[in-house]
């Protein structure tokens, strides 16, 4: 059995795809592309797909991950192209690596996010970020499935900055772009929790909901505060003995 | 003139609404064509939520048929939920298509498919959100022509004020004819404006333009006559019938949504029409004659459809799927082909017939045998003769015995309450029938772990059926009868616990009855309900019976009629019915005779295997029954080179 790890995106209007929606779409894409999937045993066999840490509905992402198990060997790049063509535009498969390591999900320890705040002056955002970063802890409360929970958003943030605003954005008016690295903790601190934290500490109140995009997720380099490629160990571990195929 | 996408404005609203994915489009196999490269543009609507509307075969077929044509564009739109409607009104975002998010008001034609009358308030919402005047007579040359279709369009009188025209019957060829007439009129510079286009459509004899007919009433409220008010407009408008389904293998590329919908499967229509002659069934009456798709045509559609969609279940659709002349070979052939591919096959709408258990077994070769559904419709032998549902109790018991003996554990039985001539006893016999089913099931399966679910709803008399003259049972009487049945099941100590009871109360049926057999005066009721906030009347959580009754009382009072007049009143032979000028091909005298036969408990055979009994459809529409067997088989698919 061959295992392949894929990175895929949720772009543009398809960021409104929920994780369940994506799962259905992906399993149909597997059938259309005639991928030789391994199936679970039992009355209603399911193709073996494991998803890691999916972004919430409405959040764009450049870095979602999943792993599939095949009964016949396939070239990861050929498979990537096939699946990418089979999925709608916006759900794009952008990377594929054969799995040679275990514990992939544990490697996803942080995410790099971009938050576009329309109607917010970059200078105003910069001041708020300074106040936020200077605090020892910034607690926010949010209703979860398990009831009202309190989160320390400051502890979860490994880095936070206001990015230079590009000129290519739609519409007029001010716009601030935040880039931040958030640790994956339990319970999870979400980018909008950090926004709540910015509101609580520095009165930053965007007039419209932020457009949120996950730029990357993977191991956190604590020294630089950056997120690195979680597929790197698999890429590095490619055994020389592997016979490239896809035509078997 | 380029038409701008409303998506940027809509996008800002989406984070605030439930299930935003339903509004973004981007479905697999959807089509966006260049606006300026097309000269006839259709917006197609199913007037219910996306999750219900997307899988609708009618819209899907027309969408593909139209988009295949050069210079023609079709996009889809669905009803938006009240949360988004509110935001759209606040932010002035118009009703949009999900394909390219173009405003519906910019299209030439706005086709709305009504499977049920309960979508009428949603039509008004969509028109208003689109910026199209609600009343057809207030529309100008730049507004889309609003075309109604679907089964409910066989009596479009309640929405006559709000639509420009209606098409009855099969839509495939009709939309293309309308397209060509519209194209020519536009190319000539739209001579005579909107009126001229509608006149050209009406003159074909296959497009009903309500505005070209005047309805005159008698002092007692009944209709005196319906008269064309222009020359060249036919007295009666005919339904459309597609012959040779193999020439129309649509949808070839079924839409695959990202959002979850009510039918997560691919559907292939294996035949159209039904001549079983169940007297309550409007679909069976208005879609005659039976036209089968060939076994090879079905095989091809399944194969291509699966390749194009990746669905893991195929539904073989029709009004009574086990009646296809080659259903055994179809089921076996498909089961053989897809045995290793984990593709599920299902056969909705099957009759109570032991043969159908063999079919069901074939279709679930390696799957789970959980539940089978049958529809005896009536609880007593007598009432089943009235409705011409020819199933004896022995048949049913034999059938369920076979089912339980083959490992099925649950049988669902569908019934109706309020059928003509029905008494409490007819309905109470449902409990006895269910008890016998359980008793037999325990005997053959040797297990107590079996169930029988009784599902029952109120009967609504429909136009173009032998019951179009029948009095509808009032909501109160329906509920009382259902309550007695529930008590009877509950009181059964031996079997009651194995019998599930699901029912629909009588109130929604009264509103459906008002809209089904209503005339133009009912239009004011629909508008009043819409203006008072009525939406999504097919949804229990949105439907308000009291609102409908209040609005009906006010709107109908000036005409001297009321809800009872439309629903519980029995009609006589002489009465001009609101839909008499819409020709389904059924001979009104034949329908009346069949109604009398119903009252005499006389059954009628199926014309597929007995001589013609002169319902009138084939000669009136110049059509004929198209059935096999072709004698062909489904061969194994060639193995793809690996």
């Amino acid at each position: 059995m061959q295992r392949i790890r894929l990175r895929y995106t949720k772009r543009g209007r398809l960021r409104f795809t929920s994780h369940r929606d994506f799962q259905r779409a992906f399993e149909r894409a597997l059938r259309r592309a005639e991928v030789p999937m391994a199936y679970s045993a039992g009355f209603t066999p399911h193709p073996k797909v494991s998803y890691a840490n999916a972004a919430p509905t409405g959040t764009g992402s450049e870095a979602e991950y999943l792993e599939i198990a095949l009964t016949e060997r396939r070239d990861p790049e050929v498979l990537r192209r096939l699946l990418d063509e089979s999925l709608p535009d916006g759900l794009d498969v952008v990377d594929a690596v054969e799995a040679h390591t275990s514990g992939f999900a544990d490697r996803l320890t942080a995410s790099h996010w971009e938050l576009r705040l329309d109607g917010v002056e970059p200078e105003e955002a910069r001041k708020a970020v300074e106040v936020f970063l200077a605090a020892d802890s910034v607690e926010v409360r949010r209703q979860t499935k398990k009831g009202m929970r309190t989160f320390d958003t400051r502890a979860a943030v490994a880095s936070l900055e206001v990015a230079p605003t590009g000129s290519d954005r739609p519409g007029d008016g001010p716009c601030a772009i935040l880039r931040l690295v958030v640790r994956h903790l339990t319970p999870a601190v979400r980018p909008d929790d950090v926004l709540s934290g910015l509101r609580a500490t520095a009165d930053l109140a965007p007039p419209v909901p932020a457009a949120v995009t996950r730029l990357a997720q993977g191991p956190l380099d604590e020294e630089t505060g950056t997120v690195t490629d979680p597929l790197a160990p698999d890429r590095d571990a490619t055994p020389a003995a592997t016979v490239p195929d896809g035509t078997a | 003139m380029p038409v701008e996408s409303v998506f940027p404005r809509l996008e800002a609203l989406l984070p605030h609404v439930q299930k935003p994915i339903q509004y973004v489009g981007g479905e697999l196999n959807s089509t966006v064509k260049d606006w300026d490269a097309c000269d006839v543009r259709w917006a197609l609507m199913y007037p219910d939520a996306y999750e219900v509307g997307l899988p609708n075969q009618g819209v899907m077929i027309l969408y593909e048929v139209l988009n295949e044509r050069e210079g023609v564009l079709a996009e889809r739109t669905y009803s938006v939920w009240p949360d988004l409607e509110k935001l759209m009104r606040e932010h002035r975002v118009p009703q949009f298509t999900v394909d390219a998010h173009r405003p519906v008001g910019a299209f030439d034609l706005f086709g709305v498919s009504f499977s049920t009358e309960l979508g009428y308030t949603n039509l008004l919402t969509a028109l208003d959100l689109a910026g199209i005047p609600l009343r057809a007579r207030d529309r100008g040359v730049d507004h889309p022509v609003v075309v109604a279709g679907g089964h409910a369009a066989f009596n479009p009188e309640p929405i006559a004020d709000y639509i420009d025209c209606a098409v009855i019957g099969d839509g495939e060829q009709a939309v293309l004819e309308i397209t060509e007439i519209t194209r020519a009129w536009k190319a000539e510079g739209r001579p005579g404006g909107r009126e001229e286009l509608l006149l050209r459509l009406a003159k074909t004899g296959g497009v009903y333009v309500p505005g070209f007919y005047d309805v005159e009433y008698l002092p007692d409220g009944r209709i005196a006559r319906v008269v064309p008010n222009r020359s060249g407009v036919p007295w009666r408008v005919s339904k459309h019938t597609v012959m040779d389904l193999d020439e129309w293998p649509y949808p070839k590329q079924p839409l695959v949504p990202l959002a979850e919908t009510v039918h997560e499967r691919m559907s292939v229509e294996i035949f159209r029409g039904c001549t079983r002659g169940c007297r309550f069934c409007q679909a069976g009456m208005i879609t005659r004659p039976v036209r089968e798709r060939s076994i090879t045509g079905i095989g091809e559609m399944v194969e291509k459809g699966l390749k194009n969609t990746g669905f893991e279940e195929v539904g073989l659709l029709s009004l009574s799927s086990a009646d296809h002349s080659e259903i055994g070979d179809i089921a076996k052939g498909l089961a053989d082909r897809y045995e290793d591919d984990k593709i599920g096959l299902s056969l909705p709408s099957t009759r109570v017939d032991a043969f159908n258990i063999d079919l069901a077994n074939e279709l679930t070769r390696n799957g789970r045998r959980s539940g089978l559904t049958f529809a005896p419709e009536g609880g007593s032998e007598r009432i089943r003769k009235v409705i011409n549902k020819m199933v004896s109790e022995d048949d049913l018991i034999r059938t369920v015995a076979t089912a339980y003996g083959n490992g099925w554990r649950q049988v669902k039985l569908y019934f109706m309450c309020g059928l003509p001539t029905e008494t409490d006893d007819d309905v109470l016999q449902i409990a006895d029938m269910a008890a016998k089913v359980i008793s037999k099931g325990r005997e053959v399966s040797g297990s107590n772990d079996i169930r029988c679910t009784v599902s029952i709803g109120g009967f609504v008399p429909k136009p173009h059926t032998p019951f179009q003259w029948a009095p509808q049972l009032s909501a109160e009487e329906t509920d009382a009868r259902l309550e007695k049945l529930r008590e009877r099941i509950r009181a059964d100590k031996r079997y009651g616990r194995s019998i599930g009871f699901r029912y629909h109360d009588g109130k929604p049926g009264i509103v459906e009855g008002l809209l089904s057999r209503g005339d133009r005066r009912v239009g004011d009721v629909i508008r009043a309900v819409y203006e008072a906030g009525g939406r999504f009347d097919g949804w229990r959580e949105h439907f308000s019976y009291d609102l409908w009754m209040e609005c009906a009382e006010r709107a109908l009072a000036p005409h001297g009629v009321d809800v009872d007049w439309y629903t519980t009143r029995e009609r006589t032979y002489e009465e001009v019915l609101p839909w008499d000028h819409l020709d389904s091909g059924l001979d009104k005298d034949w329908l009346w005779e069949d109604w009398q036969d119903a009252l005499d408990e006389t059954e009628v055979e199926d014309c597929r295997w007995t001589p013609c009994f002169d319902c009138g459809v084939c000669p009136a529409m110049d059509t004929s029954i198209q059935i096999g067997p072709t004698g062909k088989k489904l061969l194994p698919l060639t193995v793809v080179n690996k």
Side-chain angles (χ1 to χ4, degrees):
Chain A
M1 196 163 65
Q2 183 191 29
R3 290 179 304 139
I4 293 181
R5 288 174 182 156
L6 302 169
R7 176 161 73 94
Y8 66 95
T9 68
K10 275 180 19 180
R11 289 172 174 156
R13 58 182 176 170
L14 291 200
R15 73 175 188 279
F16 293 106
T17 311
S18 75
H19 184 51
R20 272 167 51 87
D21 296 336
F22 177 80
Q23 285 177 309
R24 277 194 312 275
F26 184 69
E27 289 181 16
R28 284 169 191 159
L30 288 170
R31 278 190 295 272
R32 284 193 296 275
E34 296 177 5
V35 177
M37 290 298 295
Y39 276 79
S40 65
F43 254 139
T44 44
H46 282 286
K48 287 192 172 176
V49 186
S50 357
Y51 299 88
N53 197 37
T57 308
T59 299
S61 180
E62 292 295 310
E64 301 295 288
Y65 291 91
L66 60 80
E67 180 181 303
I68 57 178
L70 309 187
T71 55
E72 290 169 35
R73 297 190 59 79
R74 288 288 185 271
D75 175 65
E77 176 54 23
V78 172
L79 183 80
R80 183 199 68 74
R81 242 181 291 141
L82 208 58
L83 281 172
D84 185 41
E85 280 167 23
S86 194
L87 281 165
D89 279 345
L91 301 179
D92 302 323
V93 182
V94 289
D95 204 350
V97 174
E98 180 165 355
H100 296 293
T101 60
S102 59
F104 178 77
D106 297 336
R107 244 178 267 158
L108 304 178
T109 59
S111 286
H112 191 194
W113 298 95
E114 181 177 285
L115 274 58
R116 201 186 75 219
L117 307 178
D118 281 310
V120 173
E121 293 289 351
E123 195 45 42
E124 190 192 348
R126 236 182 302 277
K127 281 184 197 145
V129 164
E130 255 172 54
V131 176
F132 180 90
L133 290 174
D136 291 332
S137 80
V138 178
E139 292 198 336
V140 302
R141 285 155 64 76
R142 167 162 56 86
Q143 189 71 38
T144 72
K145 280 179 198 148
K146 293 175 182 168
M148 191 57 92
R149 301 289 291 257
T150 303
F151 307 86
D152 181 359
T153 55
R154 178 64 193 90
V157 169
S159 72
L160 170 61
E161 60 179 9
V162 179
T165 308
S167 54
D168 56 340
R169 56 188 187 80
D172 318 306
C175 172
I177 291 174
L178 302 186
R179 293 237 172 85
L180 61 158
V181 172
V182 183
R183 294 184 175 87
H184 295 171
L185 305 173
T186 315
V189 171
R190 306 192 307 210
D192 47 318
D193 293 327
V194 177
L195 271 185
S196 304
L198 284 164
R199 180 194 285 255
T201 50
D203 280 338
L204 186 73
V208 293
V212 181
T213 307
R214 166 139 64 198
L215 301 175
Q217 62 174 327
L220 175 65
D221 183 332
E222 288 286 352
E223 275 179 32
T224 60
T226 55
V227 173
T228 61
D229 178 12
L231 295 176
D234 294 299
R235 258 189 270 274
D236 298 344
T238 305
T242 305
V243 184
D245 58 6
T247 52
Chain B
M1 196 175 66
V3 167
E4 263 183 54
S5 164
V6 306
F7 193 70
R9 288 192 288 149
L10 175 68
E11 193 174 19
L13 311 180
L14 292 181
H16 305 286
V17 304
Q18 291 289 311
K19 298 189 200 160
I21 186 70
Q22 65 187 309
Y23 304 116
V24 306
E27 300 91 346
L28 188 77
N29 301 328
S30 59
T31 307
V32 173
K33 291 173 91 167
D34 181 356
W35 183 265
D36 296 315
C38 295
D39 49 11
V40 180
R41 306 166 186 120
W42 283 82
L44 300 175
M45 177 175 204
Y46 190 86
D48 201 335
Y50 180 88
E51 63 195 80
V52 179
L54 183 117
N56 179 265
Q57 292 293 292
V59 171
M60 221 186 267
I61 290 169
L62 300 187
Y63 176 74
E64 199 173 326
V65 165
L66 288 166
N67 276 321
E68 268 185 5
R69 301 284 152 144
E70 187 103 8
V72 183
L73 160 166
E75 300 195 5
R76 295 158 298 125
T77 183
Y78 305 94
S79 295
V80 300
W81 286 110
D83 61 347
L84 182 58
E85 184 195 336
K86 183 166 175 284
L87 290 171
M88 284 165 68
R89 289 185 188 279
E90 270 171 40
H91 294 85
R92 302 191 168 278
V93 175
Q95 180 80 26
F96 55 86
T97 60
V98 296
D99 297 286
H101 294 91
R102 286 162 175 149
V104 167
F107 288 76
D108 300 309
L109 296 138
F110 181 26
V112 189
S113 176
F114 293 99
S115 304
T116 143
E117 299 81 4
L118 297 176
Y120 292 162
T121 51
N122 282 4
L123 165 71
L124 298 192
T125 311
L127 287 173
D128 191 42
L129 283 173
I132 302 170
L134 294 188
R135 283 191 189 278
R137 73 165 99 95
D138 299 332
R139 291 172 199 152
V141 71
D142 289 324
H143 291 119
V145 169
V146 181
V147 190
H151 287 183
F154 276 81
N155 175 23
E157 292 301 89
I159 50 169
D161 287 345
Y162 315 119
I163 59 172
D164 293 292
C165 56
V167 172
I168 60 173
D170 300 332
E172 289 94 332
Q173 288 160 313
V175 290
L176 295 176
E177 280 172 43
I178 294 172
T179 298
E180 286 318 310
I181 290 168
T182 307
R183 191 201 298 271
W185 171 76
K186 284 182 78 177
E188 292 164 31
R190 306 198 291 185
R194 191 178 188 82
E195 163 118 2
E196 166 75 16
L197 173 59
L198 290 171
L199 195 59
R200 289 186 190 185
L201 292 171
K203 281 180 175 167
T204 63
V207 178
Y208 172 56
V209 179
F212 292 165
Y213 296 80
D214 292 332
V215 181
E216 295 163 12
Y217 298 95
L218 296 168
D220 66 5
R222 289 181 300 162
I223 293 171
R225 54 181 204 146
V226 180
V227 205
N229 56 26
R230 304 255 187 314
S231 67
V233 175
W235 281 84
R236 297 188 83 199
V237 179
S238 292
K239 79 162 176 180
H240 296 255
T241 312
V242 165
M243 296 305 294
D244 198 349
L245 252 49
D246 282 331
E247 279 183 20
W248 296 90
Y250 296 90
K252 297 171 184 167
Q253 310 230 15
L255 293 163
V256 186
L258 283 156
E260 192 168 9
T261 62
V262 293
H263 294 303
E264 290 286 312
R265 61 171 175 247
M266 192 186 99
S267 298
V268 172
E269 186 185 25
I270 63 173
F271 65 88
R272 203 172 281 184
C274 180
T275 40
R276 284 282 181 176
C278 302
R279 294 180 173 123
F280 55 84
C281 179
Q282 188 192 38
M285 293 290 162
I286 61 178
T287 59
R288 294 168 174 220
V290 171
R291 290 145 289 153
E292 285 187 356
R293 198 183 297 285
S294 69
I295 178 171
T296 43
I298 292 165
E300 246 173 74
M301 279 186 75
V302 172
E303 187 193 347
K304 286 188 184 151
L306 285 174
K307 219 168 245 162
N308 289 332
T309 61
F311 277 125
E312 55 182 339
E313 191 185 333
V314 180
L316 303 175
L317 295 194
S318 75
L319 293 173
S320 181
S321 289
D323 285 345
H324 192 289
S325 63
E326 288 175 292
I327 190 65
D329 286 334
I330 293 168
K332 181 175 183 308
L334 292 176
D336 285 346
R337 278 187 178 179
Y338 299 106
E339 189 160 10
D340 299 330
D341 295 342
K342 295 165 188 76
I343 300 292
L345 297 164
S346 66
L347 209 58
S349 313
T350 54
R351 294 174 55 82
V352 182
D353 185 332
F355 166 67
N356 294 334
I357 309 289
D358 298 341
L359 283 178
N361 289 344
E362 194 72 87
L363 296 176
T364 53
R365 266 183 212 172
N366 40 19
R368 200 179 352 202
R369 290 183 181 168
S370 48
L372 278 180
T373 303
F374 297 105
E377 311 286 4
S380 70
E381 204 94 27
R382 189 195 73 78
I383 201 80
R384 287 196 296 274
K385 283 188 173 147
V386 171
I387 62 178
N388 202 42
K389 186 95 188 187
M390 291 194 275
V391 178
S392 70
E393 188 163 296
D394 290 348
D395 285 343
L396 180 79
I397 299 299
R398 226 184 349 255
T399 304
V400 296
T402 316
Y404 288 122
N406 276 287
W408 299 86
R409 283 291 164 265
Q410 155 128 300
V411 167
K412 222 190 260 177
L413 300 177
Y414 279 12
F415 296 94
M416 282 184 290
C417 177
L419 291 161
T421 76
E422 181 185 278
T423 62
D424 284 357
D425 184 57
D426 292 310
V427 169
L428 290 175
Q429 284 194 38
I430 293 170
D432 305 343
M433 185 191 270
K436 281 181 198 157
V437 164
I438 294 293
S439 158
K440 190 73 181 177
R442 287 181 186 170
E443 181 193 318
V444 295
S445 69
S447 158
N448 276 342
D449 180 27
I450 52 160
R451 283 190 67 74
C452 171
T453 302
V454 168
S455 191
I456 184 164
F459 164 65
V460 179
K462 295 274 170 163
H464 304 280
T465 70
F467 290 166
Q468 62 184 355
W469 292 279
Q472 185 174 353
L473 194 65
S474 72
E476 297 74 26
E477 287 168 285
T478 302
D479 292 346
R481 211 166 267 175
L482 291 174
E483 186 53 36
K484 283 180 193 160
L485 174 60
R486 197 232 294 263
E487 282 309 313
R488 172 73 70 96
I489 291 172
R490 218 185 255 165
D492 187 337
K493 294 264 183 311
R494 262 184 98 182
Y495 303 113
R497 280 195 307 136
S498 299
I499 302 171
F501 184 59
R502 306 182 65 180
Y503 69 98
H504 300 284
D505 69 57
K507 285 176 174 176
I510 290 296
V511 172
E512 196 187 328
L514 170 71
L515 298 174
S516 291
R517 292 195 291 172
D519 53 35
R520 294 189 181 185
R521 294 169 292 190
V522 172
D524 290 341
V525 183
I526 299 167
R527 179 149 184 176
V529 170
Y530 159 72
E531 282 171 353
R535 306 283 188 277
F536 289 94
D537 290 302
W539 296 72
R540 186 185 295 260
E541 59 270 47
H542 292 279
F543 173 77
S544 167
Y545 178 72
D546 294 341
L547 178 63
W548 274 96
M549 291 305 115
E550 279 166 38
C551 293
E553 203 182 316
R554 260 185 292 125
L556 296 176
H559 303 294
V561 291
D562 59 15
V563 173
D564 288 346
W565 191 85
Y566 285 102
T567 55
T568 58
R569 181 178 64 97
E570 183 168 353
R571 278 74 161 165
T572 58
Y573 176 76
E574 303 77 29
E575 181 162 345
V576 175
L577 301 173
W579 50 90
D580 278 350
H581 55 298
L582 289 151
D583 189 4
S584 59
L586 294 159
D587 177 3
K588 197 176 176 187
D589 282 336
W590 178 80
L591 284 173
W592 179 261
E593 280 164 30
D594 205 38
W595 169 224
Q596 299 309 305
D597 283 347
L599 296 173
D600 295 341
E601 299 163 22
T602 305
E603 295 162 290
V604 177
E605 291 283 339
D606 188 316
C607 64
R608 270 171 293 184
W609 31 84
T610 56
C612 169
F613 44 80
D614 291 327
C615 74
V617 172
C618 290
M621 297 293 142
D622 192 21
T623 54
S624 58
I625 302 172
Q626 282 181 342
I627 53 173
T630 62
K632 292 188 179 146
K633 302 273 184 272
L634 289 177
L635 303 172
L637 295 173
T638 39
V639 179
V640 187
N641 290 334
K642 290 200 176 165

